[in-house]
Amino acid sequence: MKLSRKDILGIKELGADEINLILDTAETFIEVSTREIKKLPTLRGRTIINLFLEASTRTRTSFEIAGKRLSADTINISSSTSSMVKGETLIDTARNLEAMNPDVIVIRHRSAGAPHLLARMVKQPVINAGDGAHEHPTQALLDMMTIRSKKGKMEGLKVAIVGDIAYSRVARSNIYGLRKMGAHVVIAGPATMLPRDIERMGVAVYCRLEEAIKGADIIMMLRIQTERQQQNIFPSLREYANYFCLNGENIKLAKEDVLVMHPGPINRGVEISPDVADGPYSVILDQVTNGVAVRMALLYLVTGGGQ
Ligand code: CP
């Protein structure tokens, strides 16, 4: 099966069959990263532009590694080193990048919808690496891959997503994806961090962490997105941690074989205690490892790969 779309802009528009195709393809790439020579010739001669106009460690690095492991030439552009600091618009930037005839453009942008605008402007496939508080599809795909590989399925699992739901593109993409794959998704956070009408996305909503994680198969903790918040929406980090930090005590409410996930970057002692982040239930670094395979799969599929 091949991907029948040009761009990967969000999980909302992907079908369960497309998600399975991406995850199945990613699983075939996992082994490459364990080899001594971590390279396939699959994308030799292809060029990938990573246009990261917002800070990133995991996503930018893993897209670059993914491209290189497939033998593509990868070019990284950041906001501080692009001519956008001189006032060039995203549209003009897109036209100029398109004129250099790359094969894929990966974009992270602080504004929701920027990847969609880019995808309309250029003929090349565009992959959304996170747009504002809207979507982070590749993060949700690597999260789903981690759950599927550890639990053997997603259907019927209780997944608790806890923290700053309102400003989290990771939460939004995971809710879309996990619901499509049959998981039961519950969310929890301070009332000021829960979007109005979030129930319409098909999730159960709690104001207390303990209620949400009770009997959970998966707990996904989120960072407070201070860079997107317009004003202080909780009194202090200490008060937030008192109510919403996953720790060695409250985690006992979850299933005995619970998986603890976090997209990173982590604020230790705020949304997750260090002993839980580094403890036996944590699959946080497995998520990062799977991120390379998922991004290899996406680069392969959007450039016409598949059977
Ligand atoms: N999870 C994630 O998107 O991390 P980065 O911001 O470091 O890319």
Side-chain angles (χ1 to χ4, degrees):
M1 189 177 155
K2 289 184 182 249
L3 207 57
S4 58
R5 60 179 67 245
K6 168 178 163 279
D7 311 295
I8 299 292
L9 300 176
I11 300 292
K12 187 178 182 182
E13 52 264 29
L14 293 185
D17 55 340
E18 291 176 288
I19 293 173
N20 276 325
L21 169 66
I22 295 163
L23 302 192
D24 292 346
T25 308
E27 273 171 14
T28 69
F29 285 125
I30 274 282
E31 177 267 333
V32 177
S33 295
T34 65
R35 295 182 191 174
E36 193 179 340
I37 308 295
K38 303 173 184 61
K39 213 132 180 108
L40 294 175
T42 316
L43 297 186
R44 191 161 51 201
R46 307 285 190 121
T47 306
I48 297 159
I49 294 182
N50 292 324
L51 181 59
F52 273 69
L53 303 174
E54 198 185 50
S56 170
T57 296
R58 281 147 289 268
T59 313
R60 193 199 62 73
T61 310
S62 63
F63 262 114
E64 183 175 0
I65 289 174
K68 288 190 162 140
R69 288 197 179 155
L70 293 172
S71 302
D73 297 311
T74 58
I75 315 297
N76 297 312
I77 305 174
S78 68
S79 51
S80 61
T81 57
S82 81
S83 283
M84 294 179 95
V85 293
K86 302 175 199 162
E88 191 167 33
T89 64
L90 179 61
I91 290 175
D92 282 330
T93 303
R95 287 199 175 114
N96 281 271
L97 294 179
E98 184 185 35
M100 295 180 226
N101 212 15
D103 294 282
V104 183
I105 301 178
V106 178
I107 178 171
R108 170 171 285 193
H109 200 284
R110 69 175 185 282
S111 300
H116 305 68
L117 175 67
L118 187 67
R120 285 196 298 275
M121 297 295 307
V122 302
K123 60 180 181 293
Q124 291 86 1
V126 171
I127 301 178
N128 180 0
D131 62 325
H134 179 227
E135 279 229 40
H136 193 346
T138 65
Q139 178 69 42
L141 288 163
L142 73 87
D143 291 339
M144 288 190 277
M145 180 178 178
T146 306
I147 294 171
R148 199 177 79 161
S149 70
K150 295 283 180 191
K151 295 286 187 189
K153 62 174 187 177
M154 285 180 267
E155 191 166 7
L157 297 182
K158 177 178 175 180
V159 183
I161 305 179
V162 180
D164 183 1
I165 309 289
Y167 292 93
S168 173
R169 55 197 178 201
V170 175
R172 200 171 311 279
S173 289
N174 266 300
I175 291 170
Y176 286 132
L178 289 163
R179 294 261 302 118
K180 282 175 207 265
M181 304 313 284
H184 170 53
V185 182
V186 306
I187 61 166
T192 48
M193 293 186 188
L194 297 176
R196 197 173 301 183
D197 296 336
I198 184 75
E199 294 90 345
R200 287 193 188 171
M201 291 184 78
V203 297
V205 183
Y206 297 100
C207 288
R208 294 190 61 225
L209 169 136
E210 289 79 4
E211 292 171 320
I213 67 173
K214 199 169 174 184
D217 297 283
I218 313 287
I219 304 174
M220 198 178 282
M221 300 305 293
L222 301 174
R223 181 177 66 85
I224 301 168
Q225 309 275 309
T226 43
E227 69 274 29
R228 285 182 235 296
Q229 294 165 1
Q230 309 299 319
Q231 59 200 23
N232 289 340
I233 55 178
F234 55 93
S236 69
L237 285 181
R238 184 185 293 185
E239 177 145 343
Y240 180 85
N242 278 344
Y243 290 99
F244 288 100
C245 182
L246 185 68
N247 58 43
E249 204 45 48
N250 55 29
I251 198 174
K252 292 176 187 161
L253 292 166
K255 288 224 176 106
E256 277 183 10
D257 59 349
V258 67
L259 300 182
V260 173
M261 305 178 73
H262 193 303
I266 289 173
N267 289 306
R268 289 170 181 265
V270 178
E271 69 268 10
I272 191 166
S273 64
D275 56 323
V276 173
D278 303 327
Y281 305 112
S282 173
V283 293
I284 293 170
L285 294 179
D286 298 276
Q287 292 172 258
V288 178
T289 301
N290 290 335
V292 175
V294 157
R295 287 159 182 138
M296 287 172 81
L298 289 169
L299 294 173
Y300 171 67
L301 290 168
V302 299
T303 50
Q307 294 175 350

